[in-house]
Amino acid sequence: MKVPAVRLFIVTAAMFAGVLALSACSGKGTEETPKAQNEAAVAAVHTEVAAPAPDLADYEGDWSDTEFNQNSGCNTCGLFLNYNLDSEPVPMLSLIVYDGDRLVDFLGEYELAGDTGTFLLEDGEIKGTGTFHLGAERVTLQVELASGDETLAELFSKERTLVRDPYQGLVRQDPIELVVRYVQEQGKDPQQLTYELDTGAEWNEEMLGGEEVEIVDGVNPEGVIVSRYIVNTLNAGVEDLSDTENEGN
């Protein structure tokens, strides 16, 4: 059947009007006001999953600097942190730096936000600010000194990494063998003396002898100690404490 031209025009116009109406409704839904956009942004932030806060109980206790403690010249020397989370009325942080003479022995309050803490460092003339980050099985520490000595300035010139055991996985070398090699490198004959560990209280009471650092004596055939060495069994460092003129060479 042939449709009259006028009727066809009316049907086409009605369909076109419907398309325009749908387009208008669709545009109205996508064009959000600034208020709606802000509300949507806030809602998106609140729906994000927050990173879990660290379990502070895992960090309580002592932490030791990996590099400074390994390379120090005595067993008690190093950089140490202690987190006391249960101290009252506020949490306290202990920071100790020891290189044979006390440099820092700080006990003070700290503030913790998530896994990052801050504190003010005041130990006599030594003053500064510190920031620490609680990581996976390690703690990183940064200290900005306002005043202090050269040793501390060098120590805190970079971020420090602290762990529970700074000697984990390291192999301790034989202190006698290290001394024999050292003597040979000095162009001397190690066979003229007998080398043995010093167990005397004179050195052990000074806390120089122990697991990482040992004291080795060079003994002549008459049984007299004529040389003495501090030996770091971790980094193979040997320090000659003896009067080289009396080594019997």
Side-chain angles (χ1 to χ4, degrees):
M1 181 180 65
K2 186 176 180 181
V3 180
V6 174
R7 184 179 176 187
L8 181 62
F9 174 79
I10 294 174
V11 172
T12 305
M15 293 177 61
F16 182 73
V19 172
L20 289 178
L22 289 174
S23 299
C25 292
S26 176
K28 182 178 180 180
T30 57
E31 292 179 2
E32 297 180 344
T33 64
K35 179 181 179 181
Q37 291 175 345
N38 289 338
E39 291 176 349
V42 171
V45 170
H46 285 291
T47 56
E48 289 182 359
V49 178
D55 186 350
L56 299 183
D58 294 338
Y59 294 91
E60 190 167 16
D62 294 324
W63 295 81
S64 303
D65 183 88
T66 52
E67 180 181 352
F68 190 75
N69 288 40
Q70 289 174 9
N71 296 326
S72 63
C74 68
N75 283 299
T76 58
C77 296
L79 166 62
F80 309 93
L81 279 180
N82 178 278
Y83 298 100
N84 188 346
L85 304 175
D86 296 328
S87 57
E88 296 294 343
V90 293
M92 303 294 284
L93 174 72
S94 176
L95 171 64
I96 300 173
V97 180
Y98 182 73
D99 71 342
D101 295 316
R102 186 184 70 85
L103 292 176
V104 172
D105 187 3
F106 164 77
L107 179 64
E109 302 176 17
Y110 66 90
E111 296 182 357
L112 191 63
D115 57 7
T116 301
T118 57
F119 61 91
L120 294 178
L121 174 61
E122 292 187 1
D123 179 38
E125 296 181 354
I126 300 172
K127 293 180 173 58
T129 58
T131 302
F132 59 89
H133 177 78
L134 305 178
E137 299 184 356
R138 64 184 54 225
V139 175
T140 56
L141 171 70
Q142 288 182 307
V143 173
E144 297 289 338
L145 289 176
S147 62
D149 60 24
E150 294 181 359
T151 301
L152 286 178
E154 180 179 357
L155 179 65
F156 292 123
S157 63
K158 63 179 181 179
E159 182 180 79
R160 312 303 307 186
T161 300
L162 300 103
V163 296
R164 291 293 191 184
D165 181 8
Y167 310 115
Q168 184 177 4
L170 297 180
V171 178
R172 295 176 177 84
Q173 302 180 58
D174 184 278
I176 304 297
E177 293 180 359
L178 290 174
V179 168
V180 170
R181 186 174 68 190
Y182 173 83
V183 172
Q184 290 175 329
E185 291 174 351
Q186 302 305 307
K188 300 171 184 177
D189 183 5
Q191 296 184 357
Q192 294 193 18
L193 299 176
T194 300
Y195 296 97
E196 56 190 40
L197 295 179
D198 190 319
T199 59
E202 176 184 0
W203 292 99
N204 292 309
E205 288 180 356
E206 295 294 329
M207 296 180 291
L208 288 172
E211 189 173 9
E212 281 75 44
V213 178
E214 298 281 4
I215 306 300
V216 176
D217 296 329
V219 183
N220 66 16
E222 289 74 34
V224 178
I225 297 176
V226 296
S227 63
R228 180 171 284 120
Y229 306 88
I230 296 179
V231 184
N232 189 316
T233 62
L234 293 176
N235 63 16
V238 177
E239 180 181 355
D240 189 353
L241 302 178
S242 61
D243 180 358
T244 55
E245 294 181 357
N246 296 326
E247 285 200 13
N249 294 332

Tab-separated table of all heavy atoms in Angstrom, residues 66-110:
chain	number	residue	atom	x	y	z
A	66	THR	N	73.432	-1.674	59.989
A	66	THR	CA	74.105	-2.749	59.263
A	66	THR	C	75.559	-2.424	58.953
A	66	THR	O	76.449	-3.244	59.163
A	66	THR	CB	73.361	-3.031	57.944
A	66	THR	OG1	73.203	-1.803	57.227
A	66	THR	CG2	71.999	-3.621	58.209
A	67	GLU	N	75.825	-1.233	58.483
A	67	GLU	CA	77.174	-0.882	58.023
A	67	GLU	C	78.078	-0.465	59.173
A	67	GLU	O	79.197	-0.966	59.327
A	67	GLU	CB	77.092	0.249	56.999
A	67	GLU	CG	78.445	0.683	56.451
A	67	GLU	CD	78.312	1.825	55.452
A	67	GLU	OE1	77.176	2.160	55.081
A	67	GLU	OE2	79.354	2.388	55.072
A	68	PHE	N	77.607	0.444	60.017
A	68	PHE	CA	78.446	0.982	61.080
A	68	PHE	C	78.817	-0.100	62.082
A	68	PHE	O	79.960	-0.174	62.537
A	68	PHE	CB	77.720	2.127	61.784
A	68	PHE	CG	78.580	2.915	62.736
A	68	PHE	CD1	79.519	3.814	62.248
A	68	PHE	CD2	78.457	2.761	64.098
A	68	PHE	CE1	80.318	4.547	63.124
A	68	PHE	CE2	79.251	3.488	64.977
A	68	PHE	CZ	80.182	4.377	64.482
A	69	ASN	N	77.895	-0.958	62.435
A	69	ASN	CA	78.176	-1.990	63.419
A	69	ASN	C	79.115	-3.059	62.871
A	69	ASN	O	79.962	-3.579	63.597
A	69	ASN	CB	76.872	-2.632	63.898
A	69	ASN	CG	76.072	-1.698	64.779
A	69	ASN	OD1	75.990	-0.513	64.516
A	69	ASN	ND2	75.465	-2.229	65.820
A	70	GLN	N	78.988	-3.396	61.615
A	70	GLN	CA	79.849	-4.412	61.029
A	70	GLN	C	81.300	-3.956	60.949
A	70	GLN	O	82.223	-4.743	61.130
A	70	GLN	CB	79.360	-4.766	59.626
A	70	GLN	CG	78.064	-5.547	59.597
A	70	GLN	CD	77.561	-5.739	58.182
A	70	GLN	OE1	78.262	-5.433	57.217
A	70	GLN	NE2	76.343	-6.230	58.048
A	71	ASN	N	81.498	-2.677	60.688
A	71	ASN	CA	82.846	-2.191	60.429
A	71	ASN	C	83.494	-1.501	61.626
A	71	ASN	O	84.591	-0.973	61.512
A	71	ASN	CB	82.826	-1.212	59.248
A	71	ASN	CG	82.395	-1.889	57.961
A	71	ASN	OD1	82.701	-3.060	57.742
A	71	ASN	ND2	81.669	-1.184	57.134
A	72	SER	N	82.821	-1.494	62.760
A	72	SER	CA	83.392	-0.810	63.921
A	72	SER	C	84.583	-1.582	64.466
A	72	SER	O	84.745	-2.769	64.226
A	72	SER	CB	82.328	-0.642	65.014
A	72	SER	OG	81.897	-1.913	65.466
A	73	GLY	N	85.403	-0.894	65.244
A	73	GLY	CA	86.625	-1.495	65.760
A	73	GLY	C	86.474	-2.167	67.095
A	73	GLY	O	87.464	-2.619	67.670
A	74	CYS	N	85.272	-2.246	67.627
A	74	CYS	CA	85.064	-2.963	68.885
A	74	CYS	C	83.653	-3.533	68.898
A	74	CYS	O	82.799	-3.130	68.107
A	74	CYS	CB	85.293	-2.047	70.094
A	74	CYS	SG	84.074	-0.739	70.292
A	75	ASN	N	83.416	-4.472	69.794
A	75	ASN	CA	82.140	-5.183	69.789
A	75	ASN	C	80.967	-4.337	70.239
A	75	ASN	O	79.839	-4.581	69.837
A	75	ASN	CB	82.247	-6.424	70.672
A	75	ASN	CG	83.005	-7.542	69.987
A	75	ASN	OD1	82.597	-8.029	68.955
A	75	ASN	ND2	84.137	-7.918	70.540
A	76	THR	N	81.218	-3.394	71.103
A	76	THR	CA	80.111	-2.593	71.616
A	76	THR	C	79.909	-1.312	70.832
A	76	THR	O	78.977	-0.563	71.115
A	76	THR	CB	80.349	-2.241	73.098
A	76	THR	OG1	81.594	-1.542	73.214
A	76	THR	CG2	80.388	-3.490	73.949
A	77	CYS	N	80.770	-1.033	69.866
A	77	CYS	CA	80.628	0.183	69.073
A	77	CYS	C	79.536	-0.008	68.027
A	77	CYS	O	79.365	-1.092	67.475
A	77	CYS	CB	81.938	0.535	68.379
A	77	CYS	SG	83.284	0.936	69.512
A	78	GLY	N	78.822	1.065	67.745
A	78	GLY	CA	77.804	0.985	66.718
A	78	GLY	C	76.708	2.003	66.913
A	78	GLY	O	76.775	2.880	67.776
A	79	LEU	N	75.704	1.882	66.076
A	79	LEU	CA	74.519	2.724	66.129
A	79	LEU	C	73.339	1.828	66.474
A	79	LEU	O	73.095	0.830	65.812
A	79	LEU	CB	74.286	3.408	64.775
A	79	LEU	CG	72.925	4.077	64.540
A	79	LEU	CD1	72.700	5.203	65.548
A	79	LEU	CD2	72.840	4.623	63.126
A	80	PHE	N	72.634	2.189	67.546
A	80	PHE	CA	71.556	1.352	68.042
A	80	PHE	C	70.296	2.181	68.262
A	80	PHE	O	70.371	3.320	68.714
A	80	PHE	CB	71.944	0.687	69.370
A	80	PHE	CG	73.264	-0.027	69.336
A	80	PHE	CD1	74.427	0.620	69.710
A	80	PHE	CD2	73.338	-1.351	68.928
A	80	PHE	CE1	75.653	-0.029	69.682
A	80	PHE	CE2	74.558	-2.010	68.894
A	80	PHE	CZ	75.726	-1.360	69.270
A	81	LEU	N	69.144	1.583	67.945
A	81	LEU	CA	67.842	2.172	68.230
A	81	LEU	C	67.045	1.196	69.080
A	81	LEU	O	67.152	-0.020	68.906
A	81	LEU	CB	67.056	2.448	66.946
A	81	LEU	CG	67.371	3.716	66.162
A	81	LEU	CD1	66.481	3.773	64.939
A	81	LEU	CD2	67.170	4.952	67.001
A	82	ASN	N	66.242	1.749	69.987
A	82	ASN	CA	65.341	0.914	70.765
A	82	ASN	C	63.982	1.596	70.817
A	82	ASN	O	63.875	2.755	71.216
A	82	ASN	CB	65.866	0.691	72.183
A	82	ASN	CG	64.903	-0.139	73.021
A	82	ASN	OD1	63.938	0.387	73.555
A	82	ASN	ND2	65.182	-1.416	73.138
A	83	TYR	N	62.959	0.871	70.397
A	83	TYR	CA	61.591	1.384	70.437
A	83	TYR	C	60.885	0.784	71.643
A	83	TYR	O	60.726	-0.424	71.739
A	83	TYR	CB	60.825	1.022	69.155
A	83	TYR	CG	61.447	1.614	67.923
A	83	TYR	CD1	62.249	0.859	67.091
A	83	TYR	CD2	61.249	2.948	67.609
A	83	TYR	CE1	62.826	1.409	65.953
A	83	TYR	CE2	61.828	3.510	66.480
A	83	TYR	CZ	62.609	2.731	65.658
A	83	TYR	OH	63.185	3.271	64.552
A	84	ASN	N	60.474	1.645	72.546
A	84	ASN	CA	59.713	1.220	73.712
A	84	ASN	C	58.299	1.750	73.552
A	84	ASN	O	58.023	2.909	73.839
A	84	ASN	CB	60.357	1.747	74.994
A	84	ASN	CG	59.709	1.175	76.237
A	84	ASN	OD1	58.631	0.600	76.170
A	84	ASN	ND2	60.361	1.318	77.365
A	85	LEU	N	57.413	0.889	73.085
A	85	LEU	CA	56.065	1.319	72.756
A	85	LEU	C	55.149	1.359	73.968
A	85	LEU	O	54.079	1.962	73.927
A	85	LEU	CB	55.463	0.378	71.708
A	85	LEU	CG	56.275	0.237	70.424
A	85	LEU	CD1	55.657	-0.811	69.527
A	85	LEU	CD2	56.358	1.569	69.697
A	86	ASP	N	55.552	0.715	75.058
A	86	ASP	CA	54.693	0.620	76.226
A	86	ASP	C	55.069	1.597	77.334
A	86	ASP	O	54.476	1.572	78.404
A	86	ASP	CB	54.734	-0.804	76.800
A	86	ASP	CG	54.171	-1.820	75.816
A	86	ASP	OD1	53.264	-1.447	75.054
A	86	ASP	OD2	54.648	-2.964	75.801
A	87	SER	N	56.091	2.430	77.088
A	87	SER	CA	56.512	3.359	78.127
A	87	SER	C	55.406	4.365	78.408
A	87	SER	O	54.663	4.775	77.527
A	87	SER	CB	57.793	4.088	77.706
A	87	SER	OG	57.598	4.765	76.471
A	88	GLU	N	55.306	4.752	79.646
A	88	GLU	CA	54.262	5.681	80.075
A	88	GLU	C	54.879	6.977	80.574
A	88	GLU	O	55.971	6.958	81.144
A	88	GLU	CB	53.427	5.030	81.182
A	88	GLU	CG	52.654	3.792	80.740
A	88	GLU	CD	51.578	4.092	79.725
A	88	GLU	OE1	51.203	5.286	79.604
A	88	GLU	OE2	51.131	3.168	79.045
A	89	PRO	N	54.224	8.130	80.379
A	89	PRO	CA	52.887	8.256	79.772
A	89	PRO	C	52.914	8.319	78.258
A	89	PRO	O	51.876	8.299	77.623
A	89	PRO	CB	52.389	9.573	80.353
A	89	PRO	CG	53.629	10.385	80.532
A	89	PRO	CD	54.700	9.413	80.923
A	90	VAL	N	54.119	8.438	77.651
A	90	VAL	CA	54.204	8.531	76.194
A	90	VAL	C	55.266	7.552	75.700
A	90	VAL	O	56.183	7.172	76.439
A	90	VAL	CB	54.572	9.973	75.740
A	90	VAL	CG1	53.447	10.934	76.064
A	90	VAL	CG2	55.874	10.438	76.392
A	91	PRO	N	55.184	7.101	74.428
A	91	PRO	CA	56.212	6.220	73.875
A	91	PRO	C	57.575	6.915	73.845
A	91	PRO	O	57.669	8.112	73.605
A	91	PRO	CB	55.710	5.932	72.454
A	91	PRO	CG	54.260	6.250	72.488
A	91	PRO	CD	54.099	7.351	73.471
A	92	MET	N	58.636	6.143	74.069
A	92	MET	CA	59.987	6.706	74.110
A	92	MET	C	60.876	5.992	73.097
A	92	MET	O	60.719	4.801	72.831
A	92	MET	CB	60.586	6.571	75.509
A	92	MET	CG	59.753	7.221	76.610
A	92	MET	SD	59.650	9.009	76.474
A	92	MET	CE	61.265	9.485	77.065
A	93	LEU	N	61.804	6.744	72.565
A	93	LEU	CA	62.769	6.228	71.599
A	93	LEU	C	64.170	6.405	72.162
A	93	LEU	O	64.525	7.480	72.647
A	93	LEU	CB	62.651	6.985	70.272
A	93	LEU	CG	63.689	6.654	69.206
A	93	LEU	CD1	63.417	5.278	68.627
A	93	LEU	CD2	63.681	7.698	68.101
A	94	SER	N	64.979	5.347	72.119
A	94	SER	CA	66.358	5.413	72.581
A	94	SER	C	67.292	5.315	71.381
A	94	SER	O	67.151	4.419	70.544
A	94	SER	CB	66.648	4.274	73.566
A	94	SER	OG	68.007	4.272	73.949
A	95	LEU	N	68.229	6.249	71.271
A	95	LEU	CA	69.215	6.276	70.189
A	95	LEU	C	70.610	6.348	70.807
A	95	LEU	O	70.898	7.255	71.586
A	95	LEU	CB	68.986	7.481	69.273
A	95	LEU	CG	70.056	7.778	68.218
A	95	LEU	CD1	70.145	6.636	67.210
A	95	LEU	CD2	69.775	9.083	67.495
A	96	ILE	N	71.454	5.376	70.492
A	96	ILE	CA	72.801	5.318	71.049
A	96	ILE	C	73.804	5.198	69.913
A	96	ILE	O	73.671	4.337	69.048
A	96	ILE	CB	72.965	4.134	72.013
A	96	ILE	CG1	71.989	4.254	73.185
A	96	ILE	CG2	74.391	4.055	72.529
A	96	ILE	CD1	71.978	3.048	74.091
A	97	VAL	N	74.788	6.076	69.912
A	97	VAL	CA	75.922	5.972	68.994
A	97	VAL	C	77.176	5.904	69.852
A	97	VAL	O	77.432	6.791	70.668
A	97	VAL	CB	76.013	7.179	68.034
A	97	VAL	CG1	77.204	7.006	67.102
A	97	VAL	CG2	74.733	7.329	67.231
A	98	TYR	N	77.946	4.828	69.672
A	98	TYR	CA	79.139	4.622	70.501
A	98	TYR	C	80.291	4.185	69.617
A	98	TYR	O	80.177	3.238	68.838
A	98	TYR	CB	78.847	3.551	71.560
A	98	TYR	CG	79.991	3.283	72.506
A	98	TYR	CD1	80.328	4.199	73.499
A	98	TYR	CD2	80.741	2.120	72.400
A	98	TYR	CE1	81.383	3.967	74.356
A	98	TYR	CE2	81.795	1.873	73.255
A	98	TYR	CZ	82.114	2.793	74.244
A	98	TYR	OH	83.169	2.553	75.088
A	99	ASP	N	81.420	4.878	69.713
A	99	ASP	CA	82.591	4.486	68.926
A	99	ASP	C	83.826	4.345	69.806
A	99	ASP	O	84.951	4.530	69.349
A	99	ASP	CB	82.852	5.491	67.799
A	99	ASP	CG	83.375	6.823	68.324
A	99	ASP	OD1	83.219	7.089	69.536
A	99	ASP	OD2	83.948	7.584	67.525
A	100	GLY	N	83.628	3.981	71.048
A	100	GLY	CA	84.718	3.894	72.009
A	100	GLY	C	84.589	4.962	73.075
A	100	GLY	O	84.943	4.754	74.231
A	101	ASP	N	84.093	6.111	72.674
A	101	ASP	CA	83.709	7.192	73.588
A	101	ASP	C	82.260	7.530	73.297
A	101	ASP	O	81.861	7.593	72.147
A	101	ASP	CB	84.588	8.442	73.382
A	101	ASP	CG	86.041	8.177	73.741
A	101	ASP	OD1	86.278	7.546	74.775
A	101	ASP	OD2	86.926	8.574	72.961
A	102	ARG	N	81.479	7.762	74.362
A	102	ARG	CA	80.056	8.026	74.147
A	102	ARG	C	79.874	9.279	73.299
A	102	ARG	O	80.426	10.321	73.600
A	102	ARG	CB	79.338	8.215	75.479
A	102	ARG	CG	77.841	8.344	75.325
A	102	ARG	CD	77.176	8.628	76.655
A	102	ARG	NE	77.487	9.976	77.129
A	102	ARG	CZ	76.807	11.065	76.766
A	102	ARG	NH1	75.795	10.957	75.936
A	102	ARG	NH2	77.131	12.256	77.224
A	103	LEU	N	79.100	9.154	72.251
A	103	LEU	CA	78.805	10.296	71.398
A	103	LEU	C	77.357	10.752	71.574
A	103	LEU	O	77.082	11.924	71.739
A	103	LEU	CB	79.051	9.944	69.926
A	103	LEU	CG	80.508	9.720	69.538
A	103	LEU	CD1	80.592	9.291	68.090
A	103	LEU	CD2	81.331	10.971	69.756
A	104	VAL	N	76.433	9.784	71.545
A	104	VAL	CA	75.018	10.100	71.696
A	104	VAL	C	74.377	9.045	72.595
A	104	VAL	O	74.609	7.847	72.430
A	104	VAL	CB	74.294	10.108	70.328
A	104	VAL	CG1	72.791	10.248	70.523
A	104	VAL	CG2	74.796	11.245	69.467
A	105	ASP	N	73.618	9.486	73.544
A	105	ASP	CA	72.829	8.596	74.384
A	105	ASP	C	71.505	9.315	74.633
A	105	ASP	O	71.328	9.997	75.628
A	105	ASP	CB	73.557	8.310	75.694
A	105	ASP	CG	72.838	7.248	76.518
A	105	ASP	OD1	71.823	6.722	76.040
A	105	ASP	OD2	73.292	6.963	77.633
A	106	PHE	N	70.587	9.155	73.679
A	106	PHE	CA	69.375	9.960	73.645
A	106	PHE	C	68.160	9.125	74.010
A	106	PHE	O	67.991	8.008	73.541
A	106	PHE	CB	69.187	10.540	72.243
A	106	PHE	CG	67.806	11.073	71.970
A	106	PHE	CD1	67.405	12.296	72.486
A	106	PHE	CD2	66.912	10.348	71.205
A	106	PHE	CE1	66.130	12.787	72.237
A	106	PHE	CE2	65.633	10.827	70.937
A	106	PHE	CZ	65.244	12.050	71.463
A	107	LEU	N	67.326	9.644	74.877
A	107	LEU	CA	66.059	9.021	75.217
A	107	LEU	C	64.994	10.105	75.167
A	107	LEU	O	65.055	11.073	75.935
A	107	LEU	CB	66.094	8.385	76.602
A	107	LEU	CG	64.796	7.713	77.079
A	107	LEU	CD1	64.449	6.532	76.180
A	107	LEU	CD2	64.913	7.270	78.529
A	108	GLY	N	64.058	9.990	74.248
A	108	GLY	CA	63.072	11.048	74.097
A	108	GLY	C	61.778	10.566	73.489
A	108	GLY	O	61.654	9.409	73.066
A	109	GLU	N	60.811	11.460	73.439
A	109	GLU	CA	59.505	11.147	72.879
A	109	GLU	C	59.571	11.135	71.351
A	109	GLU	O	60.390	11.814	70.747
A	109	GLU	CB	58.475	12.186	73.329
A	109	GLU	CG	58.326	12.299	74.830
A	109	GLU	CD	57.367	13.404	75.220
A	109	GLU	OE1	56.597	13.853	74.346
A	109	GLU	OE2	57.388	13.817	76.392
A	110	TYR	N	58.681	10.361	70.754
A	110	TYR	CA	58.541	10.371	69.303
A	110	TYR	C	57.064	10.337	68.941
A	110	TYR	O	56.221	9.905	69.741
A	110	TYR	CB	59.282	9.197	68.654
A	110	TYR	CG	58.731	7.834	68.984
A	110	TYR	CD1	57.745	7.247	68.190
A	110	TYR	CD2	59.198	7.120	70.077
A	110	TYR	CE1	57.241	6.007	68.479
A	110	TYR	CE2	58.704	5.868	70.379
A	110	TYR	CZ	57.727	5.311	69.575
A	110	TYR	OH	57.228	4.069	69.874
